[in-house]
Amino acid sequence: MGFLRQIWIVTLLGLESLPQRVGAALVTVIGVACAVAVMISLLAVAQGVIQSIYKHDNSDLAIVLPGGAAAEYLGSFTRADAATISEAPGVKRDPSGKPMVQPFATVIVELQKKDGSTANLFFRGSGPMERRLKPYLQYVNGHIYRAGVHELIVGRAAQRTFKGLDVGDRVMLRGTQWTVVGTYAANGGIDENAIAADVDTVLSAFGRTTYQSMEVALTSPEDFNKFKDALTTNPQLKVQVKRLSDYYYDQLKPLISLFDFVGYFVGSVMAIGAVFGALTTMYSIVDARVREIATLRALGFGGGAVVLSIMIESLVLAIPGALLGAAIAALLFNNEAISTSGISFSLAVTPGLVETGILWALAIGLIGGFMPAIRAARVPVATALRAT
Amino acid sequence: MKYFPLVWAGIWRKKGRAILTLLSVANAFLLFGLLQGFVSGLDAQIAETHADVLLTADRVSQTEQLPMSLLPQIRSVSGVRAVTPVVIFHGTYRAPTEFIRAFAVDPDALKAADAQSNVPASDIAKLKHSRTGALVPSTVAKQYGWKVGDRIPIRSFYWNNRDGSAVWPVDIVGIYPTNDDDVFFGSAVLVNYDYLDQGRVGSNGTATVFLVRVTDPTRASDVGMAIDRRFANSPYETKTASERQLAQDSVRQIGDVGLVVRLIMGAVFFALLFSVGAVMMQSIRERTSELAILKTLGFTDQGILFLVLAESLFLRLVAAAIGLGLAAALAPLIQRLAGFDIHPGPVVLLGLVLAALLAIVTGLPPAVRGMRLQVVDALAGR
């Protein structure tokens, strides 16, 4: 009898008797399901952040920051610098010949969230060119801010998270009262996590004279290096140039790493627990089948076939556990909006995460099945047959 | 206690199974100790009101500057012992990767505000007498090979000087012992407030934060609130808190950590309930005839119930104690690796209560089964 056929028969015998051992089988299924569900749910946070960053094709947009500034609210450059940047090669011009660039001033403001705690939010001084750089920005409610008056518009995610940011509300920021006049959306993208007003109005309200960052439309995504080299080699400028999406990713990297760390850490500990569960299941199954296995061995079935078939049985229990866990995570948390560290986004249970969950479950099944399989193959045939 | 050998024998009846149960329960409580310990670490910091030093910063935006005119007003609040203006002067040394943490401070006020007396008085005096002077923590000096008398350029992230450059030359006048516990006066380069303020373009006459030293640390939170009340509804609303509370805020901004931990532990204990429950049930089923013999020997129904529950309780409590102990042992390591504050201590009691609950929930069905056992049926194998 061929080796594969032996494995097939022993496995089939084992699976046929599984219904008699539902209790033991459930230990593996539930253990794996819980571990996978928790791990995928936690990893879905980081995936949600990444998806909100790469929601739109921003590859033709670049951000220019002053040299040494770690974030868009830290450095400063002058109007003369801004003019030099607008004239750099690679900058797209609109039909009237105007460079498509938008200088920004960014202030961090601390506002109260709807749950009563406080969090930081970006207050961006912007201008009319921004919506031409980012055609995906939609002004869904009210009207856009005007220059010279203290009017601001609110990103939809910020509106969802923070208190008192509905159209018509008044917001007190450093002794100046601002009126919320509109809401904007970016289809769930990261841009929704801010409030915005006219850049020069923001500068004067916060007693500043210099811009802090500049966003630039490139003639094409491939011209990024040309543009970057032109600015970084210009001795009059001390700036750094990044693709806009990469900049956002760099900014949110600590948050992404934190959630990935927590997800993999908790997932690992729970996976170890699930391995113990699988070991319990498989040992009890092997114990219950001792006479049957001894009979097969007496009939001439090889030890290798027994080992493999027990491990297959373990995998057969682990995979439904993984699918169940992934389904629970997806049903409970996919597209669930959460807010953390002042940004709000939707969790994303991606196919990649489900794949990770299944791979982990396979590992749990293999490790949990191995030792019991070895014990099954070592069953002393004569003693086992005589046992009651 | 005289039944203990019986309980002990029951636990080790199948060695492999007992060890697996022990490990599963210990593993679950290890996670419980770490996660719940993390939450209790957060709570401990939030509850902490003892603080020698408070920070007063702009309420709306901690990167904005506050005018110096606030200083005398803060000093006049009762309970305030000393106030120092501090300007964040972080920057880089030669390469953009050589990050320098630096603060511009007022040497006169520094001595009063340095609660831990980190910086020797003689060094403070030297800083006062050298306009371009700088005091450098020993570790930073060692890292870059700096000596007293060196002139070093700091490229500021935020401040341009009147030459239109962000590079500020400073002269090292003293090297003080590093103390990583003190963010302001323990591990940062200190320069003269006047040198920076008179040299910078814009924001003159302002400070990023005021360091407030209070007379009575137990009243720190009252003093903080009194300061904030004084500036309420002014263009410079302030937020006063201890440094740890501010650090805390940024962790709290991550979200409702307690809820996430409860959800995770819910899943962990749900899985554990199944695995431990199934094992216990199977173990009692296999021992049907043994239990019947105990009953024949005169054990009462309650006696059997007690015996099985005791076995469950003992194994869970020992396993939970091992898991919690492991969490306590691992906490300092994770704290170093990930920078989280983990306090498993306060959660030990809660953990043991949970273990007892787990023991009763998983032990009761098999115990009741054992109690209801009819001796004749059991011995006949029915």
Side-chain angles (χ1 to χ4, degrees):
Chain A
M1 195 159 31
F3 186 58
L4 286 178
R5 196 171 152 69
Q6 284 192 5
I7 296 176
W8 172 245
I9 288 172
V10 184
T11 308
L12 213 61
L13 274 174
L15 293 182
E16 269 171 3
S17 62
L18 257 189
Q20 298 163 22
R21 288 182 272 275
V22 175
L26 271 183
V27 172
T28 297
V29 176
I30 290 176
V32 172
C34 286
V36 169
V38 167
M39 186 178 77
I40 290 186
S41 306
L42 289 171
L43 294 179
V45 180
Q47 288 302 315
V49 177
I50 293 173
Q51 283 205 348
S52 76
I53 295 172
Y54 292 101
K55 195 116 214 166
H56 308 284
D57 180 19
N58 267 346
S59 53
D60 63 335
L61 294 186
I63 183 168
V64 185
L65 300 165
E72 60 188 289
Y73 54 91
L74 287 180
S76 65
F77 49 59
T78 60
R79 282 158 205 271
D81 292 340
T84 314
I85 293 163
S86 328
E87 299 303 320
V91 175
K92 192 171 173 178
R93 287 170 184 269
D94 69 1
S96 66
K98 205 171 152 205
M100 293 181 70
V101 300
Q102 177 62 54
F104 289 94
T106 306
V107 185
I108 299 181
V109 295
E110 191 186 80
L111 293 175
Q112 206 170 28
K113 296 211 299 188
K114 286 191 170 150
D115 65 11
S117 64
T118 56
N120 291 333
L121 183 66
F122 279 149
F123 182 20
R124 310 186 81 206
S126 176
M129 190 56 89
E130 186 182 11
R131 59 191 301 187
R132 295 177 62 189
L133 297 184
K134 301 169 187 163
Y136 54 81
L137 289 182
Q138 294 164 304
Y139 298 91
V140 288
N141 202 346
H143 65 88
I144 196 161
Y145 50 79
R146 288 171 295 172
V149 281
H150 293 131
E151 291 182 344
L152 57 82
I153 58 172
V154 179
R156 210 166 42 179
Q159 201 165 51
R160 203 165 51 216
T161 312
F162 289 90
K163 222 186 252 179
L165 289 184
D166 292 317
V167 173
D169 284 347
R170 283 163 210 283
V171 190
M172 196 72 169
L173 301 171
R174 270 209 112 156
T176 308
Q177 200 175 56
W178 298 77
T179 309
V180 179
V181 295
T183 308
Y184 70 93
N187 191 23
I190 194 81
D191 310 71
E192 288 184 4
N193 288 287
I195 54 180
D198 173 68
V199 60
D200 292 315
T201 314
V202 170
L203 283 178
S204 76
F206 284 84
R208 297 181 182 185
T209 53
T210 52
Y211 296 131
Q212 292 177 290
S213 67
M214 220 155 129
E215 289 176 12
V216 173
L218 302 169
T219 37
S220 85
E222 292 76 43
D223 288 338
F224 174 76
N225 284 331
K226 184 167 86 177
F227 174 67
K228 182 180 176 177
D229 292 345
L231 292 192
T232 47
T233 54
N234 185 338
Q236 285 167 333
L237 289 173
K238 231 176 157 55
V239 296
Q240 20 174 355
V241 182
K242 288 179 178 178
R243 287 193 195 271
L244 189 60
S245 299
D246 292 348
Y247 166 74
Y248 281 137
Y249 184 81
D250 291 346
Q251 288 299 302
L252 292 167
K253 188 89 218 305
L255 193 67
I256 294 169
S257 310
L258 175 74
F259 279 106
D260 270 344
F261 171 80
V262 172
Y264 283 116
F265 176 76
V266 173
S268 307
V269 178
M270 289 192 70
I272 293 173
V275 166
F276 293 140
L279 281 169
T280 308
T281 302
M282 294 319 291
Y283 271 130
S284 87
I285 285 179
V286 168
D287 280 354
R289 287 176 61 198
V290 156
R291 291 185 69 184
E292 180 191 320
I293 291 168
T295 312
L296 289 170
R297 295 298 308 273
L299 288 173
F301 281 77
V306 171
V307 169
L308 284 174
S309 73
I310 298 285
M311 293 192 60
I312 290 172
E313 197 173 330
S314 176
L315 291 181
V316 165
L317 291 176
I319 291 171
L323 295 177
L324 182 66
I328 291 171
L331 282 177
L332 286 180
F333 297 118
N334 196 25
N335 290 327
E336 177 82 9
I338 65 157
S339 97
T340 169
S341 299
I343 66 162
S344 167
F345 53 90
S346 302
L347 299 193
V349 178
T350 59
L353 286 185
V354 175
E355 204 174 292
T356 309
I358 292 175
L359 283 176
W360 279 57
L362 287 178
I364 293 168
L366 281 181
I367 300 171
F370 183 69
M371 299 286 288
I374 297 290
R375 176 194 283 188
R378 288 204 179 139
V379 164
V381 176
T383 348
L385 283 178
R386 251 180 265 122
T388 46
Chain B
M1 261 296 105
K2 68 174 172 180
Y3 295 115
F4 185 74
L6 209 53
V7 173
W8 186 253
I11 290 172
W12 294 107
R13 197 175 165 280
K14 277 210 163 171
K15 218 169 163 189
R17 191 147 68 193
I19 290 173
L20 269 182
T21 304
L22 196 79
L23 287 175
S24 330
V25 177
N27 182 63
F29 278 91
L30 164 66
L31 193 61
F32 172 84
L34 290 178
L35 292 184
Q36 206 65 47
F38 175 62
V39 175
S40 82
L42 291 186
D43 294 345
Q45 289 173 26
I46 294 163
E48 178 206 46
T49 47
H50 285 245
D52 279 337
V53 177
L54 298 172
L55 303 173
T56 300
D58 190 275
R59 172 162 291 277
V60 174
S61 171
Q62 276 150 40
T63 53
E64 290 297 308
Q65 309 296 308
L66 290 169
M68 288 295 270
S69 59
L70 265 57
L71 193 144
Q73 299 183 54
I74 295 174
R75 195 186 285 137
S76 68
V77 171
S78 97
V80 172
R81 186 160 143 194
V83 188
T84 323
V86 174
V87 179
I88 297 180
F89 187 55
H90 299 344
T92 55
Y93 181 39
R94 295 160 311 201
T97 50
E98 293 177 329
F99 176 65
I100 304 283
R101 254 164 33 79
F103 297 105
V105 296
D106 174 3
D108 285 328
L110 173 62
K111 202 169 157 38
D114 177 12
Q116 304 189 23
S117 300
N118 248 332
V119 187
S122 56
D123 279 351
I124 296 176
K126 282 184 214 152
L127 181 65
K128 185 173 160 60
H129 291 114
S130 165
R131 194 180 135 76
T132 56
L135 299 178
V136 177
S138 50
T139 46
V140 179
K142 201 170 153 210
Q143 186 184 353
Y144 296 118
W146 294 342
K147 304 179 301 296
V148 171
D150 284 357
R151 166 164 280 228
I152 53 160
I154 295 181
R155 176 181 289 277
S156 167
F157 286 151
Y158 317 112
W159 310 116
N160 284 345
N161 56 34
R162 299 212 182 276
D163 310 332
S165 146
V167 179
W168 298 74
V170 296
D171 297 302
I172 298 179
V173 294
I175 293 173
Y176 68 91
T178 297
N179 172 6
D180 282 323
D181 293 340
D182 189 328
V183 178
F184 283 99
F185 307 134
S187 52
V189 174
L190 303 174
V191 304
N192 266 311
Y193 173 82
D194 285 345
Y195 173 46
L196 172 72
D197 194 55
Q198 288 161 16
R200 64 180 161 177
V201 184
S203 297
N204 303 82
T206 65
T208 323
V209 284
F210 291 101
L211 243 66
V212 179
R213 188 161 173 205
V214 297
T215 27
D216 179 2
T218 56
R219 283 194 53 240
S221 61
D222 295 340
V223 174
M225 279 190 280
I227 294 172
D228 292 345
R229 259 200 311 278
R230 167 155 296 209
F231 301 108
N233 298 320
S234 81
Y236 302 105
E237 286 199 70
T238 59
K239 176 173 176 172
T240 304
S242 78
E243 191 201 310
R244 295 192 72 176
Q245 281 169 334
L246 288 178
Q248 205 45 50
D249 277 354
S250 61
V251 179
R252 288 209 319 169
Q253 285 194 13
I254 291 175
D256 191 346
V257 183
L259 177 70
V260 175
V261 167
R262 280 196 295 278
L263 284 175
I264 294 173
M265 290 322 298
V268 170
F269 283 119
F270 181 70
L272 193 65
L273 220 55
F274 262 86
S275 75
V276 173
V279 171
M280 190 78 194
M281 200 64 178
Q282 195 186 1
S283 161
I284 293 302
R285 213 179 291 135
E286 285 170 10
R287 277 149 61 187
T288 304
S289 51
E290 289 165 35
L291 292 178
I293 289 170
L294 287 180
K295 280 195 177 177
T296 320
L297 292 175
F299 270 81
T300 58
D301 287 351
Q302 283 76 18
I304 297 292
L305 181 83
F306 161 78
L307 208 60
V308 177
L309 277 181
E311 186 181 319
S312 175
L313 204 60
F314 182 76
L315 194 57
R316 310 295 178 266
L317 284 178
V318 168
I322 293 174
L324 292 169
L326 217 55
L330 282 178
L333 180 76
I334 293 181
Q335 218 157 315
R336 250 206 324 275
L337 284 178
F340 299 143
D341 236 2
I342 295 177
H343 295 212
V347 303
V348 167
L349 193 68
L350 178 63
L352 293 180
V353 170
L354 273 175
L357 264 176
L358 178 77
I360 290 170
V361 173
T362 56
L364 206 55
V368 167
R369 186 189 154 97
M371 184 179 81
R372 291 204 182 129
L373 216 62
Q374 295 299 317
V375 176
V376 180
D377 293 340
L379 287 179
R382 281 192 289 253

